[in-house]
Amino acid sequence: APDGYTIGMITVEITMMHHQGLTDLKHSSYTPLALVNEDPPGVQVIATSPYKTAKELADAIKAAPPGKLKASGTGQGGIWHLALIGWLMAMGLKPDHVAWVPSNGAGPAMQDLAAGGIDIVTCSVPEAKAMIDAGKARSLAVMAAERNPQFKEVPTLKEAIGVDYSVGAWRGIAAPKGLPPEIATALTAAIKRAWNSKEFVDFMTGRGFGLRWDEPAGFAAFMAKGDAAMGAAMTAAGLAKKA
């Protein structure tokens, strides 16, 4: 029952899975309470990669035959795969110009990168942080409107190669549809207090995760915009289920 005693975390996948025919659930199936986090993907290469900048990598991608370079970061059609697709399309390339190697997540993909099995990993910089800190990988750029304060040395794609493209994984809090407005208001206020707390801020910033706040109306609009973008990317890549 939508009484405020059952709430949960929803993630970027709620704007993706229905396009693939995996569920009928959409972001509009819930009562949004607050957006609390967003992490854009970075473009990671092995530390010994000949590509020292995002421009060098982008030039190499454009010059390479389709499928020669390989990338990973998540499963087929996952958020980091779509991030790569969006980036390639923003550069005027076909969505499969770089071959995608499905993985069970960013961790295994970064391991494969360090072993030389793939050329690029598109995942959030926090997920790549351990390998970067160990000197086994480098992040060349982030697909975001501005730099991550926790990784100030990593430029945006627009700064690096003039491509204005951004996307991200995000997390928010929601409740069942039909939650009474007064309960939603009380819950959003409580979430905001937790979001502002030193414990939460220290936890997130200490691990490089992005803090992003938006209240119900803004969160709903944010999800709707993301849903449209994910649907377009999936359709272009042939990953969306045809009606």
Side-chain angles (χ1 to χ4, degrees):
D3 55 11
Y5 287 97
T6 299
I7 62 174
M9 178 170 283
I10 57 175
T11 66
V12 65
E13 284 77 17
I14 199 65
T15 63
M16 298 164 56
M17 294 188 297
H18 69 95
H19 291 294
Q20 297 169 299
L22 299 175
T23 178
D24 291 330
L25 295 172
K26 303 177 181 179
H27 66 90
S28 55
S29 303
Y30 302 89
T31 298
L33 296 173
L35 175 66
V36 298
N37 153 263
E38 185 181 23
D39 294 307
V43 180
Q44 279 74 231
V45 296
I46 192 172
T48 55
S49 171
Y51 314 119
K52 306 298 182 186
T53 66
K55 186 178 187 310
E56 290 177 359
L57 177 60
D59 288 344
I61 290 172
K62 292 174 184 177
K68 181 180 179 181
L69 293 177
K70 297 178 175 61
S72 189
T74 187
Q76 184 82 3
I79 179 60
W80 302 141
H81 184 196
L82 293 184
L84 174 70
I85 289 170
W87 177 34
L88 292 174
M89 292 173 64
M91 291 196 295
L93 300 172
K94 292 184 177 180
D96 60 351
H97 187 84
V98 173
W100 186 258
V101 179
S103 71
N104 287 326
M110 289 300 296
Q111 293 282 354
D112 201 7
L113 180 73
I118 52 175
D119 304 292
I120 308 161
V121 170
T122 48
C123 71
S124 70
V125 186
E127 289 175 308
K129 187 175 185 297
M131 283 291 187
I132 294 171
D133 289 349
K136 295 181 179 180
R138 286 181 284 114
S139 189
L140 303 182
V142 288
M143 302 180 195
E146 53 190 42
R147 297 189 184 198
N148 184 332
Q150 306 303 313
F151 305 96
K152 295 179 181 178
E153 73 286 357
V154 182
T156 66
L157 280 180
K158 187 173 183 179
E159 292 173 322
I161 60 174
V163 172
D164 191 7
Y165 174 71
S166 60
V167 68
W170 51 262
R171 299 167 180 86
I173 308 298
K177 196 168 185 177
L179 187 72
E182 65 275 11
I183 296 178
T185 298
L187 285 171
T188 297
I191 295 165
K192 184 66 181 288
R193 288 196 298 273
W195 189 85
N196 279 324
S197 70
K198 183 177 185 301
E199 291 87 351
F200 184 72
V201 171
D202 287 350
F203 176 89
M204 295 294 278
T205 58
R207 291 158 179 79
F209 288 107
L211 287 163
R212 177 162 180 172
W213 175 261
D214 218 332
E215 301 202 359
F219 184 22
F222 172 85
M223 288 191 288
K225 182 179 179 181
D227 192 285
M230 290 297 163
M234 286 184 167
T235 299
L239 296 169
K241 183 179 180 182
K242 294 181 180 180

